[in-house]
Amino acid sequence: MRRLSSATLDALPDDVIRPAYDRAAVRAGVVHLGIGAFHRAHQAAVFDDVLNAGDLRWGIVAASLRSPRVRDQMAPQDGLYTMLVRDGSSERARIIGAVQRVIVAPEEPLALLDALASPHTHIVTLTITEKGYKLDPATGELIEHDPQLAADLASLTRPQTAPGYLVAALAKRKALGLPPFTAISCDNLPHNGRRLRNAVLALAHRHDAPLAEWIAEEGAFPETMVDRIVPATTAEDVAALAARLDVADHAMIKTEPFTQWVIEDRFCGPRPEFGAGVQLTAAVAPWEEAKLRLLNGAHSGIAYLGGLAGIEHVHEVLALPAARAFVEALWDEAQTTLSPPPELNIALYRRELMARFDNPTLRHRTRQIAMDGSQKLPQRLLAPIAARLATGKGIKALSLAVAAWLRWQAGQDDLGNAHDVDDPLAGMIAARLKGAGTPEERVAAILRVDAVVPPALAENGAFRMALTRWLAMLETQGALATLASFQGEI
């Protein structure tokens, strides 16, 4: 079967939406680090909207910092891919043409530096996950023992990390007399712009103090909040789309209708006129906090409890009345820790979230959400727990979600099926838990992991007691029975 490409666009069914611009006339004004499914469903679609509106300065050069997989999927397709938007029984197919090239950084580091240093590049976006910033979650300092970062600390001739590429490229721009670019983190992290700025400035200071001062004075690192559910694409998805289009698309992605990008209006150079789904604001933090503690916090609880019960998809977990009651209770607790902006109606937002979780066509896998829990829990669950305890409020639902994460570390669900604990701290956590024979001992062991649990929270007796109670129940009764008991208590 033929591959999707520029040559096969005209052969697609009439209901498939195609780029409305001349791709040959597009300039690459954006470099994206960490191309994956989320970027293709979110930022790339936004810039594709800008191109469709007639501003051809905003094509994308994308880079993978590790694997050639996405490059190998997209290169034979001229960078084209299908975005399937699914909602219930409806499905809309749109071809995204914004990505002009995909660079595999370990294979072509100088090509990536050239793209970042190009005078046409005004914006750099990043989806590199929490691990990619090379900052210690507890201290905010560079993780100097990380082998890739250690190499970048020694030399930036061939960078290995995202901060390394940004510093090397900004040094090159400064030497060429070019202004810096606006660097926009699109990862689900509190204060993501500040975190990216701190990583870049810390690394720059180690190499060239005047460069760091120039970046601090002239550069821009806006805070952002991104939101769109993008489940992993399966082989079945690829086969079904090929049957529909009569062309093969190995880079396709699937997503929901909802999309949101809130960006702090702080740019150091040109920016496009963004369209629907993008909101420029003076303060991102209230939006970000609501999203992390409501959407992402609930997602983590659903993922671990559902995963322990052997349930594969989010919508299947929420088909259980007890799980639905748990999510509502978690939202009740987390909501009290928020300071939402006037434009954000929390009651409406919660109803929209539940409708998104219920979307059966997304088939969002619990195990996909369960990845990297040690990096996600501090902002999603532990921060609202600390806020509620500080004001004397209960943490029944929030602590159950954390206990489910701790139970997940055992690597086996309630049915006896083994699963990988896909987490950068998995080895260290496993070592801490080894030999801990009781729930009390396991809780004590995890509370000593200060890269996950802030020391002040670890010392809180109410938190320790709640965590121990739920963990014991999960281990002896399983997730489904625990959810039923939880529902009976609220």
Side-chain angles (χ1 to χ4, degrees):
M1 182 178 287
R2 295 180 300 168
R3 290 282 288 268
L4 176 67
S5 67
S6 302
T8 58
L9 275 179
D10 290 341
L12 297 176
D14 292 341
D15 63 340
V16 176
I17 302 169
R18 301 162 175 78
Y21 51 89
D22 178 5
R23 295 186 76 216
V26 172
R27 292 203 308 266
V30 181
V31 173
H32 180 81
L33 303 184
I35 185 169
F38 185 79
H39 169 69
R40 282 176 277 157
H42 194 276
Q43 301 91 42
V46 167
F47 288 111
D48 198 65
D49 288 337
V50 172
L51 296 173
N52 278 318
D55 189 345
L56 301 185
R57 298 175 296 164
W58 302 103
I60 301 169
V61 171
S64 169
L65 298 181
R66 297 188 300 272
S67 166
R69 182 179 60 85
V70 176
R71 188 271 315 276
D72 294 346
Q73 291 171 342
M74 295 185 68
Q77 302 182 179
D78 302 324
L80 297 168
Y81 62 92
T82 309
M83 182 174 73
L84 281 183
V85 179
R86 293 177 169 175
D87 186 17
S89 60
S90 69
E91 179 179 275
R92 179 168 54 89
R94 172 180 167 186
I95 307 300
I96 303 294
V99 179
Q100 297 185 295
R101 181 185 179 192
V102 179
I103 297 170
V104 180
E107 297 178 8
E108 299 183 273
L110 300 184
L112 179 53
L113 284 176
D114 286 344
L116 289 163
S118 167
H120 298 303
T121 297
H122 303 299
I123 292 175
V124 176
T125 54
L126 303 92
T127 49
I128 56 175
T129 76
E130 295 87 344
K131 298 172 284 190
Y133 295 84
K134 305 301 181 183
L135 295 175
D136 187 297
T139 67
E141 302 295 323
L142 292 172
I143 306 175
E144 298 193 17
H145 62 269
D146 177 273
Q148 291 181 316
L149 185 64
D152 283 354
L153 286 166
S155 171
L156 289 174
T157 304
R158 295 174 67 89
Q160 296 189 29
T161 67
Y165 274 105
L166 295 187
V167 172
L170 287 164
K172 189 171 182 178
R173 293 180 75 94
K174 183 173 182 286
L176 293 171
L178 296 172
F181 41 66
T182 299
I184 306 178
S185 167
C186 300
D187 285 300
N188 280 318
L189 298 167
H191 311 297
N192 54 10
R194 185 189 312 170
R195 186 173 299 202
L196 177 59
R197 184 178 190 270
N198 289 347
V200 168
L201 291 181
L203 184 56
H205 268 293
R206 298 289 290 270
H207 285 278
D208 183 343
L211 171 65
E213 293 171 7
W214 178 76
I215 296 170
E217 293 174 4
E218 303 293 334
F221 300 82
E223 305 284 348
T224 67
M225 186 274 282
V226 295
D227 189 1
R228 196 170 209 182
I229 296 172
V230 186
T233 300
T234 66
E236 291 76 16
D237 293 324
V238 175
L241 182 65
R244 175 180 169 183
L245 302 186
D246 199 29
V247 297
D249 180 357
H250 296 289
M252 66 158 287
I253 49 97
K254 58 184 181 181
T255 189
E256 61 174 337
F258 182 91
T259 184
Q260 186 179 38
W261 192 3
V262 182
I263 310 175
E264 182 184 12
D265 195 0
R266 180 185 297 181
F267 291 75
C268 61
R271 66 164 174 81
E273 289 298 320
F274 293 109
V278 179
Q279 180 166 354
L280 297 175
T281 182
V284 170
W287 296 89
E288 170 190 79
E289 200 170 67
K291 192 251 181 176
L292 286 168
R293 298 185 183 184
L294 296 180
L295 185 151
N296 297 123
H299 252 171
S300 288
I302 291 167
Y304 296 117
L305 289 165
L308 288 170
I311 302 174
E312 190 171 2
H313 300 109
V314 168
H315 71 280
E316 295 165 341
V317 178
L318 288 176
L320 304 173
R324 209 172 190 86
F326 159 75
V327 170
E328 293 286 1
L330 186 147
W331 284 342
D332 287 342
E333 292 178 8
Q335 180 175 332
T336 65
T337 71
L338 304 176
S339 301
E343 304 94 327
L344 180 57
N345 182 322
I346 292 293
L348 175 61
Y349 184 54
R350 285 175 55 165
R351 290 196 295 272
E352 291 174 339
L353 287 180
M354 192 64 83
R356 294 167 64 192
F357 291 171
D358 281 336
N359 187 343
T361 57
L362 287 179
R363 303 186 68 77
H364 201 181
R365 297 179 67 245
T366 52
R367 290 197 181 189
Q368 179 187 359
I369 302 168
M371 293 170 57
D372 298 342
S374 69
Q375 312 292 292
K376 297 172 179 175
L377 256 66
Q379 58 268 20
R380 295 183 178 193
L381 297 171
L382 299 180
I385 284 173
R388 282 185 64 86
L389 289 174
T391 56
K393 296 185 176 71
I395 55 169
K396 183 175 290 185
L398 289 163
S399 60
L400 173 54
V402 177
W405 166 77
L406 177 50
R407 172 66 176 147
W408 184 259
Q409 307 309 304
Q412 183 173 290
D413 68 18
D414 297 339
L415 306 177
N417 299 313
H419 58 255
D420 291 331
V421 180
D422 192 342
D423 190 290
L425 299 185
M428 185 261 281
I429 291 173
R432 294 285 181 92
L433 293 174
K434 186 176 182 180
T438 66
E440 291 83 358
E441 290 172 345
R442 283 186 280 280
V443 167
I446 208 69
L447 292 181
R448 290 195 294 271
V449 182
D450 56 12
V452 180
V453 185
L457 182 58
E459 296 299 319
N460 188 285
F463 178 51
R464 182 185 297 260
M465 186 179 303
L467 205 55
T468 302
R469 178 196 176 216
W470 288 127
L471 179 62
M473 193 176 295
L474 287 167
E475 291 180 347
T476 57
Q477 301 180 25
L480 293 182
T482 301
L483 280 170
S485 296
F486 177 90
Q487 186 181 21
E489 295 181 12
I490 58 176

